[in-house]
Amino acid sequence: MSKILSKALCLTLGVGTMLATSCNSPQSSESDTTEAALDLSNMDKSVNPGDDFYAFANGGWMKKAEIPADRGRWGSFDELRERNEKATLKVLKEAATSSSLKKGSDQEKAVFMYESGMDSAKIESLGASPIQPYLAKVDGIKNLKDLQKVLQELHLSSTSVFFGPGVFQDLKNSEIQSLYLGYAGLGLPNKDYYTKDDDASKEKRTQYIQHIENMMSMIGVSGASQKIFDLENSLAEFNMTPVEERDPRSQYNPMSISDLQKECKTINWKEYLAYINVPADTIIVNHPIYFQKLDGILKSTSISTIKNYLKWHIVHEAAPYLSSDFVNESFDFYGKKMRGLEVNRPRWKRVLGTTNGTLGFALGKLYVETEFPAEAKEKAEKMVNNIKQAFSERINNLDWMSAETKQKAQEKLASFTVKIGYPDKWETYEDLEISKDAYFQNIVNSSVYEFKKNMKEFGKPVDKTKWGMTPQTVNAYYNPLYNEIVFPAAILQPPFYNYKADEAVNYGGIGAVIGHEISHGFDDSGRRFDAHGEMKDWWTHEDGETFQGKAKMVVDQYNAYYPLEDLHINGELTLGENIADIGGVAVAYDGLQRYLEMQPEKPGMIDGFTQEQRFFLSWATIWRTKSREEALRNQIMSDPHSPGQYRATGPLSDFDPFYEAFNVVEGDSMYVAPNDRAKVW
């Protein structure tokens, strides 16, 4: 899948982690079930909940929590991920010493990937030698025709330069898999980092150029950094902004091969498709103007600069898997300067992350056998069904939507597929070769394997049994193409979910997560897909206009939040996630009320709080977060999720039952006049 289009379609619960970087001893099942559902010591009851509910719910935690030196941020997600990493490592190590580990099995490959990455002595001895064959191929480029041959090989190993292909479900035909073509090849997160004129952005660009120079000097190239940056800058000029990337409609541009050839003559597209083994007559291009301009950029840039640009991206993407001098230089920029980290993550965590990223389902199969009780799945399934019914009732009760659109919305909701815990059919890695003592080559083999596997899907029926996350991933997502909501096993743990806790806490935690993902199907992006996962407008014109007006209220609300004195939340970039948060709280609350109505006797107060109050406290708890300034700035500029504090309080200021539960009145800081409260679903 095009990485850019995937941003528009991958509607996750998320915590602001970047794909390339991420997300206390492990808790046993016993400790999970005996810990308090809500830890009152994390609260600050001296705060008026109507003034700052985030501080009321999390003030005690904020005072005592410290951001680890290897993190840019620390919060509920991170605490759970920390525990989960150790649990996953335990599972992996037990497999490595188990007599039942089969030779050549996927699980053995996962063990070998991890062990090869932990062989630091071998990796140090190799230095830059693993990438020398790729650098030598670049050295052999004499003209643009030679360039194409090297580009093809680099794309095969998933090195992101100039552009990249991906095969996945056609946005307008849910039965077929199409080929997509997207721009690629920037070392900074997105276009804004190249174009913004504020002091912080200028400083990052200066630091980035120095980082390129430092890294290139390690492979014997000096004085090329400014020209490399200038080439990236010219590419970035014709990228979309992060806000523009959120709209999948703008990225669906089918072009015949002959038309693409006319637009970008430098690349022989028939030869390229033959090399990647995709017999396509049409390619869906994410941003046609980029490929129009790419032709001129390639022709006007010297071959020496293009070669240095390729070398930069080879060493940049390989750095985490090479010797410590490369790892440290990469961390100095992307970890320290971009995210404010003090130290790099321990080697075992980095290598475990790589193992999860390359053989995640092999490891996940082991994980769920020991870490995911059947009772947890059964109870979560009941909660999902209850919240889906609550969302159906909200649709019926909308006073702004026509009967025609309501019917289509109900059809879409009824068609949702729900996946909980782990796949029914596991991904396998039969043809992937993994060695016990060749870490970098294992990474290359995995990249080539995944690329070829993806290309082979072209023209084949869509397999909707696939999962986009492994069971050990602490997250959740909505996929509009499959019209599905997915909750991996790892997120079905405290503080999000404790299957022995009171239901108010669970509905405020995992229930709101479920509601969040359901709401994604009806946010400003998800609403453009129908019950079959096809990009179709099923709204009446009038209802669409009304929705846009309601969405504008959400944009304005979040634009007014300033996490940093000089930088506010981008309400347009975060719109989909904010709509999902607002809808998720509302529908989970309704689900709790449905549950309570079905009980013979409504549960009484617990720890001095009503069921409704515990619901809201639980919601605020899952978003508790402390961030370093650099990490927070990076999140605001590049991530579609708002910072945790505003995810906790923003939806509550729009929700009438919160006012009732905590007696929020005019004059309180969180009070918003009823007519000004943003309400979508």
Side-chain angles (χ1 to χ4, degrees), residues 628-643:
R628 301 183 192 278
E629 181 177 335
E630 296 88 344
L632 184 56
R633 186 176 297 276
N634 189 45
Q635 177 182 353
I636 296 167
M637 287 186 62
S638 62
D639 198 290
H641 303 88
S642 297

mmCIF file of all heavy atoms in Angstrom, residues 628-643:
data_model
loop_
_atom_site.group_PDB
_atom_site.id
_atom_site.type_symbol
_atom_site.label_atom_id
_atom_site.label_comp_id
_atom_site.label_asym_id
_atom_site.label_seq_id
_atom_site.Cartn_x
_atom_site.Cartn_y
_atom_site.Cartn_z
ATOM 1 N N ARG A 628 7.799 15.314 26.170
ATOM 2 C CA ARG A 628 8.887 16.266 25.995
ATOM 3 C C ARG A 628 8.473 17.258 24.913
ATOM 4 O O ARG A 628 7.694 16.929 24.009
ATOM 5 C CB ARG A 628 10.165 15.542 25.573
ATOM 6 C CG ARG A 628 10.630 14.490 26.568
ATOM 7 C CD ARG A 628 11.943 13.868 26.123
ATOM 8 N NE ARG A 628 12.243 12.685 26.919
ATOM 9 C CZ ARG A 628 12.802 12.708 28.121
ATOM 10 N NH1 ARG A 628 13.128 13.877 28.663
ATOM 11 N NH2 ARG A 628 13.040 11.600 28.790
ATOM 12 N N GLU A 629 8.986 18.479 25.004
ATOM 13 C CA GLU A 629 8.557 19.514 24.068
ATOM 14 C C GLU A 629 8.818 19.109 22.616
ATOM 15 O O GLU A 629 7.967 19.312 21.743
ATOM 16 C CB GLU A 629 9.263 20.847 24.355
ATOM 17 C CG GLU A 629 8.820 21.951 23.400
ATOM 18 C CD GLU A 629 9.448 23.295 23.711
ATOM 19 O OE1 GLU A 629 9.836 23.517 24.881
ATOM 20 O OE2 GLU A 629 9.553 24.116 22.782
ATOM 21 N N GLU A 630 9.979 18.534 22.342
ATOM 22 C CA GLU A 630 10.302 18.160 20.962
ATOM 23 C C GLU A 630 9.343 17.101 20.441
ATOM 24 O O GLU A 630 8.907 17.150 19.291
ATOM 25 C CB GLU A 630 11.748 17.651 20.868
ATOM 26 C CG GLU A 630 12.791 18.697 21.202
ATOM 27 C CD GLU A 630 13.105 18.750 22.693
ATOM 28 O OE1 GLU A 630 12.318 18.215 23.501
ATOM 29 O OE2 GLU A 630 14.152 19.319 23.057
ATOM 30 N N ALA A 631 9.040 16.124 21.285
ATOM 31 C CA ALA A 631 8.114 15.064 20.880
ATOM 32 C C ALA A 631 6.715 15.623 20.662
ATOM 33 O O ALA A 631 6.012 15.237 19.720
ATOM 34 C CB ALA A 631 8.086 13.963 21.933
ATOM 35 N N LEU A 632 6.305 16.536 21.531
ATOM 36 C CA LEU A 632 4.980 17.136 21.405
ATOM 37 C C LEU A 632 4.891 17.968 20.133
ATOM 38 O O LEU A 632 3.896 17.907 19.391
ATOM 39 C CB LEU A 632 4.696 17.992 22.633
ATOM 40 C CG LEU A 632 3.301 18.625 22.727
ATOM 41 C CD1 LEU A 632 2.206 17.570 22.652
ATOM 42 C CD2 LEU A 632 3.175 19.429 24.022
ATOM 43 N N ARG A 633 5.922 18.729 19.844
ATOM 44 C CA ARG A 633 5.940 19.546 18.625
ATOM 45 C C ARG A 633 5.881 18.646 17.385
ATOM 46 O O ARG A 633 5.146 18.918 16.433
ATOM 47 C CB ARG A 633 7.197 20.419 18.595
ATOM 48 C CG ARG A 633 7.249 21.416 17.440
ATOM 49 C CD ARG A 633 8.480 22.302 17.548
ATOM 50 N NE ARG A 633 8.463 23.125 18.749
ATOM 51 C CZ ARG A 633 7.831 24.293 18.842
ATOM 52 N NH1 ARG A 633 7.163 24.774 17.802
ATOM 53 N NH2 ARG A 633 7.863 24.982 19.966
ATOM 54 N N ASN A 634 6.647 17.575 17.421
ATOM 55 C CA ASN A 634 6.661 16.637 16.307
ATOM 56 C C ASN A 634 5.281 16.021 16.112
ATOM 57 O O ASN A 634 4.797 15.859 14.978
ATOM 58 C CB ASN A 634 7.699 15.544 16.570
ATOM 59 C CG ASN A 634 7.922 14.652 15.376
ATOM 60 O OD1 ASN A 634 8.047 15.122 14.249
ATOM 61 N ND2 ASN A 634 7.971 13.353 15.607
ATOM 62 N N GLN A 635 4.615 15.666 17.208
ATOM 63 C CA GLN A 635 3.287 15.084 17.124
ATOM 64 C C GLN A 635 2.293 16.064 16.507
ATOM 65 O O GLN A 635 1.512 15.706 15.624
ATOM 66 C CB GLN A 635 2.787 14.661 18.513
ATOM 67 C CG GLN A 635 1.364 14.098 18.479
ATOM 68 C CD GLN A 635 0.833 13.724 19.844
ATOM 69 O OE1 GLN A 635 1.577 13.752 20.833
ATOM 70 N NE2 GLN A 635 -0.432 13.377 19.918
ATOM 71 N N ILE A 636 2.307 17.293 16.969
ATOM 72 C CA ILE A 636 1.349 18.288 16.482
ATOM 73 C C ILE A 636 1.526 18.523 14.985
ATOM 74 O O ILE A 636 0.550 18.714 14.248
ATOM 75 C CB ILE A 636 1.493 19.610 17.262
ATOM 76 C CG1 ILE A 636 1.132 19.399 18.731
ATOM 77 C CG2 ILE A 636 0.610 20.703 16.665
ATOM 78 C CD1 ILE A 636 1.527 20.555 19.631
ATOM 79 N N MET A 637 2.767 18.478 14.508
ATOM 80 C CA MET A 637 3.033 18.766 13.107
ATOM 81 C C MET A 637 2.780 17.583 12.180
ATOM 82 O O MET A 637 2.559 17.774 10.978
ATOM 83 C CB MET A 637 4.482 19.235 12.931
ATOM 84 C CG MET A 637 4.737 20.629 13.455
ATOM 85 S SD MET A 637 6.414 21.202 13.069
ATOM 86 C CE MET A 637 6.407 21.195 11.274
ATOM 87 N N SER A 638 2.805 16.365 12.708
ATOM 88 C CA SER A 638 2.774 15.220 11.803
ATOM 89 C C SER A 638 1.724 14.166 12.100
ATOM 90 O O SER A 638 1.478 13.293 11.271
ATOM 91 C CB SER A 638 4.157 14.543 11.787
ATOM 92 O OG SER A 638 4.501 14.055 13.073
ATOM 93 N N ASP A 639 1.097 14.229 13.263
ATOM 94 C CA ASP A 639 0.231 13.129 13.679
ATOM 95 C C ASP A 639 -1.235 13.537 13.637
ATOM 96 O O ASP A 639 -1.590 14.626 14.085
ATOM 97 C CB ASP A 639 0.595 12.692 15.095
ATOM 98 C CG ASP A 639 0.055 11.315 15.417
ATOM 99 O OD1 ASP A 639 -1.167 11.176 15.561
ATOM 100 O OD2 ASP A 639 0.851 10.377 15.512
ATOM 101 N N PRO A 640 -2.125 12.671 13.119
ATOM 102 C CA PRO A 640 -3.554 13.007 13.075
ATOM 103 C C PRO A 640 -4.269 12.862 14.407
ATOM 104 O O PRO A 640 -5.476 13.105 14.481
ATOM 105 C CB PRO A 640 -4.113 12.013 12.045
ATOM 106 C CG PRO A 640 -3.208 10.837 12.131
ATOM 107 C CD PRO A 640 -1.841 11.409 12.414
ATOM 108 N N HIS A 641 -3.552 12.471 15.454
ATOM 109 C CA HIS A 641 -4.150 12.348 16.786
ATOM 110 C C HIS A 641 -3.778 13.559 17.635
ATOM 111 O O HIS A 641 -2.621 13.965 17.673
ATOM 112 C CB HIS A 641 -3.654 11.087 17.487
ATOM 113 C CG HIS A 641 -3.908 9.822 16.736
ATOM 114 N ND1 HIS A 641 -3.022 9.326 15.806
ATOM 115 C CD2 HIS A 641 -4.962 8.970 16.758
ATOM 116 C CE1 HIS A 641 -3.510 8.202 15.302
ATOM 117 N NE2 HIS A 641 -4.689 7.968 15.857
ATOM 118 N N SER A 642 -4.735 14.114 18.334
ATOM 119 C CA SER A 642 -4.463 15.221 19.252
ATOM 120 C C SER A 642 -3.677 14.717 20.462
ATOM 121 O O SER A 642 -3.765 13.538 20.818
ATOM 122 C CB SER A 642 -5.776 15.848 19.736
ATOM 123 O OG SER A 642 -6.495 16.409 18.666
ATOM 124 N N PRO A 643 -2.911 15.585 21.121
ATOM 125 C CA PRO A 643 -2.217 15.184 22.353
ATOM 126 C C PRO A 643 -3.212 14.688 23.399
ATOM 127 O O PRO A 643 -4.377 15.106 23.441
ATOM 128 C CB PRO A 643 -1.531 16.480 22.801
ATOM 129 C CG PRO A 643 -1.335 17.256 21.537
ATOM 130 C CD PRO A 643 -2.549 16.958 20.706
#
